[in-house]
Amino acid sequence: MLRLLEYQKTDHPFYNENMAVHLYSIEELCYFMEANTYLIDPSWVNEELFTWLEREFGEEKLAADLRVTLRTKKDVFACAELIFDASGLYAQQDLVQVMGLLDQMRGRTKMERRKMSGDLFLEAGKYRQAAYTYLELLEDCYAIQMTEELRGNIYHNLGVVYAKMFLFPEATRLFAKAYALHGRQESKDAYLYAMNFMNDSDETDDQAVDLNFSIMRDALAHLSETEERQEYMIERKAASAAASAFDWKSAQEKLIGRWTEEYKEML
């Protein structure tokens, strides 16, 4: 059953400075918060927002509840939950899902929340969006704001993105970098797995683990241009089927022997 909903809009929008976006209705506010949960923080979930809801939409009770919640719980995500619930925009099942996402964000740093948004893109198969999120976090300006473990996790997940897009040379370098940072077995295993799909002509110099982000962005741009082409999709499905059929575990011992010395040098 479809319903036509007419949302109340205001001529005096709420301005979110973090994203430089103007919001004209409670529904737009909800959509914005759901899509950008990593941005929910006290810099804008505060008295200014509560006053806007009260003044522009007559939400006196909601504004009062928000003030009490923020004063007593000091929890901006609890405030977001109140807004989602009061909007009437979500079915119960959808509301539970949104609340669960907010609960995951509690206690996380802004950097960790941003990484989680990339993880959600990855889980949903939105590889380009995930890659752009991870690449942004790996820029030099963010380096001093994160631990080596978090940085290693980002490298690993970005490697998963590139492996999913059959960009295996880039994926192997990312997994090697992740393993060097946090030493997790999953990154080492992923590195071995990705190596199975390398061509003889692919560069395998694991000493050069510095990543060329511009080359990776070019690869993403190329994917964006070709992913809708039928012949590309056929080729991609064939490659995926071949990858699934390949018994990489049976070749693992041979690979380990071949790359033992390289791992020692890398570590």
Side-chain angles (χ1 to χ4, degrees):
M1 179 178 179
L2 298 177
R3 290 189 302 161
L4 178 61
L5 301 179
E6 296 183 1
Y7 301 137
Q8 181 182 354
K9 292 189 175 182
T10 177
D11 294 328
H12 305 94
F14 179 78
Y15 180 69
N16 184 290
E17 188 173 355
N18 289 330
M19 293 285 284
V21 63
H22 292 84
L23 304 171
Y24 289 85
S25 69
I26 296 177
E27 290 72 26
E28 287 184 6
L29 173 64
C30 288
Y31 283 130
F32 174 82
M33 290 194 300
E34 184 180 354
N36 302 280
T37 49
Y38 67 96
L39 286 177
I40 298 176
D41 62 35
S43 70
W44 62 276
V45 181
N46 52 32
E47 179 59 31
E48 183 181 358
L49 175 64
F50 306 158
T51 300
W52 178 74
L53 291 168
E54 185 176 40
R55 182 185 66 241
E56 301 300 326
F57 304 103
E59 292 286 352
E60 290 87 359
K61 183 180 184 305
L62 174 59
D65 290 342
L66 288 167
R67 292 184 179 104
V68 171
T69 298
L70 188 60
R71 184 175 67 251
T72 58
K73 296 185 178 181
K74 303 187 184 303
D75 184 354
V76 292
F77 294 105
C79 293
E81 289 175 351
L82 286 175
I83 295 172
F84 282 127
D85 191 29
S87 70
L89 185 64
Y90 297 87
Q92 184 60 36
Q93 181 179 355
D94 297 327
L95 190 61
V96 169
Q97 184 176 352
V98 173
M99 299 300 189
L101 179 60
L102 291 175
D103 194 51
Q104 292 179 44
M105 295 290 178
R106 282 189 173 90
R108 308 277 186 171
T109 66
K110 186 175 181 179
M111 195 74 62
E112 290 172 330
R113 295 199 303 270
R114 182 67 171 130
K115 188 254 182 187
M116 287 176 64
S117 70
D119 296 345
L120 292 173
F121 283 133
L122 176 56
E123 291 174 9
K126 299 179 180 179
Y127 301 131
R128 282 185 290 132
Q129 293 95 321
Y132 287 134
T133 301
Y134 295 140
L135 286 169
E136 178 188 351
L137 287 171
L138 290 171
E139 295 288 354
D140 291 340
C141 58
Y142 294 111
I144 62 174
Q145 302 178 39
M146 66 175 70
T147 63
E148 284 195 350
E149 182 178 4
L150 177 58
R151 191 172 180 83
N153 291 340
I154 294 171
Y155 275 120
H156 178 92
N157 286 8
L158 184 57
V160 173
V161 170
Y162 278 90
K164 292 284 189 180
M165 296 191 297
F166 307 104
L167 300 172
F168 293 109
E170 292 81 2
T172 57
R173 295 186 184 95
L174 288 160
F175 290 137
K177 185 66 174 177
Y179 185 70
L181 285 169
H182 58 42
R184 291 186 178 177
Q185 185 67 32
E186 62 178 336
S187 293
K188 186 176 181 180
D189 291 342
Y191 173 84
L192 288 170
Y193 180 81
M195 285 300 302
N196 285 305
F197 303 101
M198 296 279 282
N199 298 320
D200 293 338
S201 59
D202 290 330
E203 183 181 347
T204 58
D205 180 9
D206 299 319
Q207 300 301 310
V209 294
D210 291 336
L211 305 175
N212 190 325
F213 287 167
S214 63
I215 291 177
M216 292 185 179
R217 289 197 178 95
D218 290 343
L220 281 173
H222 177 70
L223 178 68
S224 301
E225 294 170 0
T226 61
E227 65 179 350
E228 300 302 326
R229 289 168 48 188
Q230 183 66 23
E231 62 269 26
Y232 177 83
M233 296 304 296
I234 292 174
E235 178 182 349
R236 184 172 178 180
K237 287 180 180 179
S240 178
S244 298
F246 186 81
D247 184 10
W248 70 273
K249 289 186 177 180
S250 64
Q252 183 170 341
E253 291 300 324
K254 180 179 178 181
L255 281 169
I256 291 175
R258 181 182 175 185
W259 293 101
T260 295
E261 294 304 319
E262 282 78 1
Y263 270 122
K264 289 179 180 178
E265 294 177 5
M266 180 180 68
L267 297 176

